Amino acid sequence: RANGNHNAIRFEEGEAILSAYSLKSPSFTELQPQAGYFQHRVVLHAVASTPEGELHLFVTHLSGGDAIGPGQVESLTAFTNDAEGPALLAGGFNALESSPQIVSLTNAWVDAYRAIHPHEAGYTSSVDDLHAGTEETLERRIDYMFVSPDLRLLDAERFADHPFPVDSGWLWVSDHVGLWIVIEIP
């Protein structure tokens, strides 16, 4: 669990890594500074044993705002720097590409979507009404997948970037768009 407390406020959320390959060496750290009493941002780490070799996987969800975000990225960077070898960092960063925290991450990581789509907006958020139709527009890019420079990036795309028709009208999968990438481990 990263945020909330089911017993106290009836809300919890956290991070997860799902993999088709076996995972080992799980670890996590709580990112600092903490944004609030029930808001504990974490970064989760595991190593995937793929046929091409080991791949470090990191997932996180950062607090928004210029007062908290840069400090959390410093904490995140300190944790990810311990990984030796190919790595992937993904999550909800709650920051625009031009923000200091994203700019600092791109000093060490490759922004996968931007590398493949240098001229597209690539918006990933925010759907205000999950039952809105096709008139709902995405407004910001705040979710990212980063890869270490030693990985070969083959593709990066968004998915669930439009609503789907359902019996009662329309339904978005989430208030955020999904991202996927195709990589090759050297």
Side-chain angles (χ1 to χ4, degrees), residues 78-114:
F79 185 73
T80 60
N81 279 346
D82 291 338
E84 292 183 17
L88 182 146
L89 168 62
F93 290 80
N94 284 316
L96 300 175
E97 272 182 273
S98 59
S99 70
Q101 51 269 45
I102 300 302
V103 170
S104 72
L105 284 170
T106 58
N107 289 329
W109 297 86
V110 175
D111 178 345
Y113 189 85
R114 184 57 59 227

Side-chain angles (χ1 to χ4, degrees), residues 160-180:
D161 58 348
H162 59 278
F164 297 92
V166 295
D167 289 341
S168 59
W170 294 94
L171 183 63
W172 288 78
V173 173
S174 170
D175 62 334
H176 291 257
V177 167
L179 298 168
W180 63 265

